[in-house]
Short mmCIF file of all heavy atoms in Angstrom, two decimals:
data_model
loop_
_atom_site.label_atom_id
_atom_site.label_comp_id
_atom_site.label_asym_id
_atom_site.label_seq_id
_atom_site.Cartn_x
_atom_site.Cartn_y
_atom_site.Cartn_z
N VAL N 260 -7.27 -1.53 -10.23
CA VAL N 260 -6.74 -2.71 -9.55
C VAL N 260 -5.64 -2.31 -8.57
O VAL N 260 -5.59 -2.79 -7.44
CB VAL N 260 -6.21 -3.73 -10.58
CG1 VAL N 260 -5.42 -4.84 -9.91
CG2 VAL N 260 -7.35 -4.30 -11.38
N ARG N 261 -4.77 -1.39 -8.98
CA ARG N 261 -3.69 -0.94 -8.10
C ARG N 261 -4.25 -0.26 -6.86
O ARG N 261 -3.78 -0.47 -5.73
CB ARG N 261 -2.78 0.02 -8.86
CG ARG N 261 -1.52 0.36 -8.12
CD ARG N 261 -0.60 1.16 -9.01
NE ARG N 261 -1.24 2.39 -9.43
CZ ARG N 261 -1.20 3.53 -8.73
NH1 ARG N 261 -0.57 3.56 -7.59
NH2 ARG N 261 -1.79 4.61 -9.18
N ALA N 262 -5.30 0.55 -7.03
CA ALA N 262 -5.92 1.22 -5.89
C ALA N 262 -6.55 0.20 -4.94
O ALA N 262 -6.43 0.33 -3.73
CB ALA N 262 -6.97 2.21 -6.39
N GLU N 263 -7.19 -0.80 -5.50
CA GLU N 263 -7.82 -1.83 -4.66
C GLU N 263 -6.78 -2.61 -3.87
O GLU N 263 -6.94 -2.83 -2.67
CB GLU N 263 -8.63 -2.78 -5.54
CG GLU N 263 -9.22 -3.96 -4.82
CD GLU N 263 -10.30 -3.58 -3.84
OE1 GLU N 263 -10.96 -2.55 -4.03
OE2 GLU N 263 -10.49 -4.33 -2.85
N LEU N 264 -5.70 -3.04 -4.53
CA LEU N 264 -4.68 -3.82 -3.85
C LEU N 264 -3.94 -2.98 -2.81
O LEU N 264 -3.60 -3.47 -1.73
CB LEU N 264 -3.69 -4.40 -4.87
CG LEU N 264 -4.27 -5.45 -5.80
CD1 LEU N 264 -3.21 -5.92 -6.80
CD2 LEU N 264 -4.83 -6.63 -5.03
N ASN N 265 -3.69 -1.71 -3.10
CA ASN N 265 -3.02 -0.84 -2.13
C ASN N 265 -3.91 -0.59 -0.92
O ASN N 265 -3.42 -0.49 0.20
CB ASN N 265 -2.62 0.48 -2.77
CG ASN N 265 -1.34 0.36 -3.54
OD1 ASN N 265 -0.57 -0.57 -3.34
ND2 ASN N 265 -1.10 1.29 -4.43
N ALA N 266 -5.21 -0.47 -1.14
CA ALA N 266 -6.12 -0.22 -0.03
C ALA N 266 -6.20 -1.42 0.91
O ALA N 266 -6.55 -1.26 2.08
CB ALA N 266 -7.51 0.13 -0.56
N ARG N 267 -5.85 -2.61 0.43
CA ARG N 267 -5.89 -3.80 1.27
C ARG N 267 -4.65 -3.94 2.15
O ARG N 267 -4.64 -4.74 3.08
CB ARG N 267 -5.96 -5.06 0.39
CG ARG N 267 -7.27 -5.22 -0.31
CD ARG N 267 -7.25 -6.50 -1.11
NE ARG N 267 -8.43 -6.63 -1.94
CZ ARG N 267 -8.69 -7.67 -2.68
NH1 ARG N 267 -7.86 -8.69 -2.71
NH2 ARG N 267 -9.77 -7.72 -3.42
N ARG N 268 -3.59 -3.18 1.87
CA ARG N 268 -2.36 -3.33 2.64
C ARG N 268 -2.55 -2.88 4.07
O ARG N 268 -3.31 -1.97 4.36
CB ARG N 268 -1.23 -2.50 2.00
CG ARG N 268 -0.76 -3.06 0.68
CD ARG N 268 0.41 -2.29 0.17
NE ARG N 268 1.59 -2.48 1.01
CZ ARG N 268 2.78 -1.97 0.72
NH1 ARG N 268 2.94 -1.24 -0.35
NH2 ARG N 268 3.81 -2.18 1.53
N ARG N 269 -1.83 -3.52 4.98
CA ARG N 269 -1.98 -3.22 6.40
C ARG N 269 -1.23 -1.96 6.81
O ARG N 269 -1.74 -1.15 7.56
CB ARG N 269 -1.48 -4.40 7.23
CG ARG N 269 -2.24 -5.68 7.02
CD ARG N 269 -3.53 -5.66 7.73
NE ARG N 269 -3.28 -5.58 9.16
CZ ARG N 269 -4.17 -5.83 10.07
NH1 ARG N 269 -5.37 -6.19 9.72
NH2 ARG N 269 -3.89 -5.72 11.34
N GLY N 270 -0.01 -1.81 6.39
CA GLY N 270 0.76 -0.63 6.72
C GLY N 270 1.12 -0.55 8.19
O GLY N 270 1.05 0.51 8.80
N THR N 271 1.54 -1.67 8.81
CA THR N 271 1.84 -1.68 10.23
C THR N 271 3.33 -1.80 10.52
O THR N 271 3.72 -1.92 11.68
CB THR N 271 1.12 -2.84 10.94
OG1 THR N 271 1.50 -4.06 10.29
CG2 THR N 271 -0.38 -2.67 10.88
N ALA N 272 4.19 -1.77 9.50
CA ALA N 272 5.63 -1.88 9.73
C ALA N 272 6.10 -0.67 10.52
O ALA N 272 5.72 0.46 10.25
CB ALA N 272 6.36 -1.96 8.39
N SER N 273 6.94 -0.93 11.53
CA SER N 273 7.40 0.17 12.37
C SER N 273 8.78 -0.14 12.94
O SER N 273 9.10 -1.29 13.24
CB SER N 273 6.43 0.41 13.52
OG SER N 273 6.84 1.51 14.29
N THR N 274 9.60 0.90 13.05
CA THR N 274 10.90 0.78 13.70
C THR N 274 11.04 1.91 14.71
O THR N 274 10.31 2.90 14.65
CB THR N 274 12.06 0.88 12.69
OG1 THR N 274 11.92 2.11 11.97
CG2 THR N 274 12.05 -0.27 11.73
N ARG N 275 11.98 1.77 15.63
CA ARG N 275 12.20 2.82 16.62
C ARG N 275 13.28 3.77 16.14
O ARG N 275 14.34 3.34 15.68
CB ARG N 275 12.63 2.20 17.96
CG ARG N 275 11.51 1.48 18.64
CD ARG N 275 11.86 1.24 20.10
NE ARG N 275 10.69 0.73 20.78
CZ ARG N 275 10.61 -0.49 21.28
NH1 ARG N 275 11.63 -1.31 21.18
NH2 ARG N 275 9.52 -0.88 21.88
N THR N 276 13.01 5.05 16.28
CA THR N 276 14.01 6.06 15.94
C THR N 276 14.91 6.27 17.14
O THR N 276 14.72 5.67 18.20
CB THR N 276 13.32 7.39 15.58
OG1 THR N 276 12.61 7.86 16.73
CG2 THR N 276 12.35 7.20 14.43
N ARG N 277 15.89 7.15 17.02
CA ARG N 277 16.83 7.37 18.11
C ARG N 277 16.14 7.99 19.32
O ARG N 277 16.62 7.85 20.44
CB ARG N 277 18.00 8.22 17.66
CG ARG N 277 17.61 9.57 17.11
CD ARG N 277 18.80 10.36 16.67
NE ARG N 277 19.60 10.80 17.83
CZ ARG N 277 20.69 11.54 17.73
NH1 ARG N 277 21.12 11.92 16.54
NH2 ARG N 277 21.33 11.92 18.80
#
Side-chain angles (χ1 to χ4, degrees):
V260 170
R261 190 173 60 87
E263 174 67 27
L264 293 178
N265 279 341
R267 290 182 187 183
R268 290 185 67 176
R269 298 283 296 195
T271 56
S273 183
T274 56
R275 289 196 172 114
T276 63
R277 58 180 290 181

